[in-house]
Amino acid sequence: MAAVRGTAVDIPTQDGIADAYLAHPDDTDRHPAVLLYMDAFGLRPRLRGMADRLAAAGYTVLVPNVFYRHGRAPVVELPDFLDPAARSAVFEHIAPMADELTPERAMRDAGTYLDWLTSCAQATDGPVGLTGYCLGAGLALRTAGTHPGRVAAAAGFHGAYLATEAPDSPHTVAGQVTAELYFGHADQDHALPPEQIERLDKALNEAGVRHRTEVYTGAQHGYTQADTSAYDAEAAERHWEALLDLFGRTL
């Protein structure tokens, strides 16, 4: 595994400045680019550590604070460990921000993030990889459908509300996706019940999207996040194996 350099960066957008974290191997080479979309708890040490792990595997990784319109990270003060009681209190502050991140705003930002990432000195010029967690899984799927020529692969883990009956549900972009997709769902996930998994797979199959869907038995929503009570070490390692396999074949 390569030594890693991580830095804080600012990305000008149409609506302000998005603070972000950039991680890459500590060398002078260019590496395949990955856009990592945060979960609802935001840009924090856990996500920086995940970006570092991807960077150590040979990627240049950008993690934007997608709630930047409400301030720099941490937008909401978080305890070191999020147990169920703490999660409820934090979500009271997060939910309105998530609601205000409309698909239009999020995809306008996505184009900016892709522009910035692919133009940085540490990244190669080719299509990027995406990975997202919780609400970030939906952002990854939307980005793959909104910017298809710029995305080679996209993954989503314990995604939230990926295939609702809303007219702007993330799964409705399936027909525009050209990337290869991977989803690692949790089977104990209130935010993505079985009927939504079925609806998502149906949309991807009908659109002819190359994809693989797995349901992680016994895993809860948030299973990749070691700073929460939902963390499942076995499921998290399974996620890393799937993610690195996907990027290794496509980037």
Side-chain angles (χ1 to χ4, degrees), residues 71-228:
R72 301 179 69 86
V75 180
V76 175
E77 291 297 329
L78 300 172
D80 293 335
F81 185 79
L82 284 149
D83 59 21
R87 290 170 71 98
S88 297
V90 169
F91 264 112
E92 290 182 7
H93 298 284
I94 290 174
M97 293 188 288
D99 290 341
E100 290 179 23
L101 186 64
T102 63
E104 180 184 8
R105 287 176 175 174
M107 292 304 97
R108 188 167 67 232
D109 290 343
T112 301
Y113 301 148
L114 291 172
D115 288 343
W116 192 96
L117 178 56
T118 55
S119 66
C120 80
Q122 295 81 17
T124 56
D125 295 332
V128 308
L130 310 173
T131 184
Y133 305 85
C134 180
L135 68 83
L139 295 176
L141 177 55
R142 287 191 194 278
T143 302
T146 306
H147 303 279
R150 309 185 68 180
V151 179
F157 299 93
H158 46 84
Y161 312 110
L162 296 179
T164 71
E165 296 180 347
D168 61 353
S169 172
H171 78 288
T172 60
V173 306
Q176 289 74 56
V177 173
T178 59
E180 182 176 344
L181 306 184
Y182 175 89
F183 291 98
H185 305 306
D187 76 340
Q188 306 294 313
D189 195 340
H190 64 282
L192 198 74
E195 59 268 23
Q196 286 198 40
I197 295 174
E198 293 173 7
R199 188 178 294 128
L200 174 61
D201 280 341
K202 183 174 184 290
L204 296 174
N205 285 326
E206 290 179 349
V209 177
R210 294 168 297 153
H211 73 284
R212 181 180 171 197
T213 295
E214 295 187 314
V215 178
Y216 293 15
T217 303
Q220 300 180 48
H221 182 79
Y223 63 78
T224 63
Q225 302 303 306
D227 57 354
T228 78

Side-chain angles (χ1 to χ4, degrees), residues 54 57 59 153 155 157 180-182 212 214 237-251:
L54 269 176
Y59 300 98
F157 299 93
E180 182 176 344
L181 306 184
Y182 175 89
R212 181 180 171 197
E214 295 187 314
E237 285 306 307
R238 180 177 174 183
H239 129 272
W240 283 116
E241 291 175 7
L243 184 60
L244 293 173
D245 175 70
L246 176 67
F247 288 166
R249 290 184 289 100
T250 57
L251 299 185

Side-chain angles (χ1 to χ4, degrees), residues 4 6-8 19-23 36 38-54 61 63-65 72-82 133 224-228 231 240:
V4 169
T7 55
D19 52 309
Y21 179 71
L22 180 71
L36 190 159
M38 64 185 226
D39 64 353
F41 294 129
L43 180 55
R44 61 194 192 282
R46 171 58 181 170
L47 291 187
R48 294 185 184 94
M50 294 175 73
D52 289 347
R53 181 164 174 174
L54 269 176
V61 186
V63 191
N65 165 25
R72 301 179 69 86
V75 180
V76 175
E77 291 297 329
L78 300 172
D80 293 335
F81 185 79
L82 284 149
Y133 305 85
T224 63
Q225 302 303 306
D227 57 354
T228 78
Y231 180 65
W240 283 116

